[in-house]
Amino acid sequence: ASSSKAAAAAAAAAAAGQPKAVSWLLRLGAHGSRRRNRISRTERSRHAILAWRLERPYLIYCAACGAVTASLLVWNLVKGMQNNWNLPQWQHHRWEEVTEVSIG
């Protein structure tokens, strides 16, 4: 019986031009009072961020950040070995600092 209700709700949503799958967060309190029906801005923001994290562009973003971080690590290891790990004479490059700050 509940599956037929869900199918009917999905058909009604499709007929109304709404997407087939409705977010579980947006369905919270659907059968409650008007006051419980409202979802706070914080909850909507949290849902938007969590939904974004589950998509492919975020995975690509994380992979790119990981690749840049790994290249910075390799750069610093190579420079350290060239400098014999003499930290007082370590020269920082502007692009390196900007990249570290933007990633971090």
Side-chain angles (χ1 to χ4, degrees):
S2 65
S3 63
S4 63
K5 287 181 184 180
Q18 296 175 348
K20 188 174 182 180
V22 178
S23 170
W24 65 270
L25 184 60
L26 296 177
R27 286 184 283 149
L28 276 178
H31 300 292
S33 68
R34 186 172 190 91
R35 191 170 283 187
R36 282 194 315 179
N37 236 358
R38 293 187 159 193
I39 299 173
S40 70
R41 288 183 192 179
T42 305
E43 288 297 318
R44 285 185 190 268
S45 300
R46 184 176 296 144
H47 179 264
I49 291 169
L50 290 175
W52 182 57
R53 285 182 175 177
L54 296 174
E55 294 185 11
R56 187 176 303 255
Y58 185 74
L59 177 63
I60 294 169
Y61 165 76
C62 289
C65 287
V68 170
T69 303
S71 65
L72 281 171
L73 174 65
V74 169
W75 169 265
N76 284 321
L77 289 174
V78 168
K79 285 298 188 181
M81 286 189 287
Q82 287 177 351
N83 198 18
N84 291 325
W85 299 103
N86 189 356
L87 296 180
Q89 292 181 355
W90 193 281
Q91 293 181 356
H92 295 280
H93 301 278
R94 186 169 300 237
W95 67 267
E96 179 185 5
E97 296 296 324
V98 169
T99 306
E100 287 176 354
V101 169
S102 65
I103 292 291

